[in-house]
């Protein structure tokens, strides 16, 4: 295991945010409205699917998909076939043969395979990370964030979520859990759950945009 790899995660692509560590002022209204972001959830009986669900949500947001998959009357891919295709196509989850979820590298590969410009930022300060998320949302781009759901001392009980709105002091995200897909947290709660016992993994966000 190399010096920049822990728990099978390669940190060589983790980027530093070039940003002042003070709150960034954003206009009260973003350029684009993401409040109705369409997202996907884990198929019944499929564990560790937060990575594929986050990846599928971002691809669908950018109108990237497959014509052969069944769709609902609104033109959205049916959830289970779509996520199962994402898992096959992007080869995730991949951490410890999939038993521990999806690595940042796998998400980057999937996004780049879809010809999106994707970057992973990790190990930065909370404020710099929040500034980055706010800028992406203002530009109409939802952000994938790594959230720690476990108690202190359990660094690998984490899931990927898609952040799509910050309204005053509330962060809105989409989870893979179909029973509670829409999640709301205070900014303080959200930032606390982005902190990991492994500092290099703390405040992990993945951005994606079209060229």
């Amino acid at each position: 295991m190399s010096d920049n790899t822990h728990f099978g995660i390669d940190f060589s692509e983790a980027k530093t945010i070039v940003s002042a560590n003070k709150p960034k002022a954003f206009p009260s209204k973003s350029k684009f409205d993401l409040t109705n972001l369409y997202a996907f959830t884990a198929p019944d009986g499929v564990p560790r699917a937060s990575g594929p669900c986050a990846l599928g949500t971002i691809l669908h947001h950018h109108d990237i998909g497959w014509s052969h998959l069944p769709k609902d009357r609104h033109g959205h891919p049916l959830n289970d076939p779509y996520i199962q295709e994402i898992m096959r196509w992007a080869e995730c989850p991949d951490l410890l043969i999939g038993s521990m979820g999806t690595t940042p590298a796998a998400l980057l590969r999937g996004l780049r395979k879809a010809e999106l410009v994707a970057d992973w930022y990790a190990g930065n300060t909370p404020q710099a990370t929040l500034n980055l998320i706010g800028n992406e949302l203002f530009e109409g781009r939802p952000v994938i964030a790594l959230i720690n759901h476990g108690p202190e001392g359990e660094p690998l009980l984490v899931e990927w979520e898609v952040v799509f709105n910050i309204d005053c002091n509330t962060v809105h995200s989409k989870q893979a859990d179909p029973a509670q897909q829409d999640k709301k947290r205070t900014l303080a709660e959200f930032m606390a759950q982005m902190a990991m016992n492994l500092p290099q993994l703390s405040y992990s966000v993945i951005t994606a945009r079209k060229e």
Side-chain angles (χ1 to χ4, degrees), residues 15 30 32-33 36 48 53 88 92 94-95 98 115 118 120 134 148 152 162 169-170 178 198 201 203:
K15 291 191 172 185
S30 298
F32 303 92
D33 183 11
N36 293 318
R48 306 297 182 186
C53 291
R88 181 200 65 77
C92 62
D94 65 316
L95 182 57
E115 300 184 349
W120 170 38
N148 187 0
E152 186 175 353
V162 178
N169 192 43
T170 304
L198 189 62
L201 197 60
Y203 307 107

Side-chain angles (χ1 to χ4, degrees), residues 190-204:
F190 175 72
M191 299 313 291
Q193 285 192 284
M194 289 192 72
M196 310 288 162
N197 288 348
L198 189 62
Q200 301 98 313
L201 197 60
S202 289
Y203 307 107
S204 284

Side-chain angles (χ1 to χ4, degrees), residues 10-142:
D10 186 353
F11 287 89
S12 63
E13 285 207 78
K15 291 191 172 185
T16 299
I17 299 172
V18 181
S19 171
N21 290 321
K22 59 182 181 180
K24 185 174 179 179
F26 292 97
S28 58
K29 186 174 182 180
S30 298
K31 289 183 182 179
F32 303 92
D33 183 11
L34 296 175
T35 54
N36 293 318
L37 179 72
Y38 193 85
F40 298 86
T41 58
D44 187 35
V46 177
R48 306 297 182 186
S50 68
C53 291
L55 178 56
T57 296
I58 297 299
L59 295 186
H60 184 65
H61 173 71
H62 288 288
D63 298 318
I64 298 170
W66 293 269
S67 59
H68 70 276
L69 294 179
K71 296 179 174 59
D72 63 20
R73 61 189 182 90
H74 301 292
H76 301 300
L78 296 186
N79 189 90
D80 290 12
Y82 181 65
I83 294 304
Q84 288 160 354
E85 180 68 6
I86 289 283
M87 295 172 73
R88 181 200 65 77
W89 177 81
E91 299 180 353
C92 62
D94 65 316
L95 182 57
L96 298 181
I97 318 178
S99 64
M100 296 299 291
T102 301
T103 61
L107 290 178
L108 291 175
R109 285 195 303 270
L111 293 166
R112 291 167 181 171
K113 187 176 180 180
E115 300 184 349
L116 293 172
V117 177
D119 293 295
W120 170 38
Y121 299 87
N124 295 286
T125 66
Q127 189 59 59
T129 303
L130 186 59
N131 289 351
L132 174 69
I133 294 172
N135 185 68
E136 291 296 303
L137 297 182
F138 178 74
E139 295 294 337
R141 297 187 293 261

Side-chain angles (χ1 to χ4, degrees), residues 155-196:
L156 289 181
L157 292 178
V158 297
E159 287 189 334
W160 296 105
E161 297 183 12
V162 178
V163 180
F164 64 95
N165 188 40
I166 298 178
D167 180 14
C168 296
N169 192 43
T170 304
V171 179
H172 302 255
S173 63
K174 296 286 186 179
Q175 300 184 124
D177 182 1
Q180 191 183 14
Q181 183 182 34
D182 291 284
K183 180 70 177 181
K184 295 181 182 179
R185 297 178 181 88
T186 66
L187 273 175
E189 290 170 337
F190 175 72
M191 299 313 291
Q193 285 192 284
M194 289 192 72
M196 310 288 162

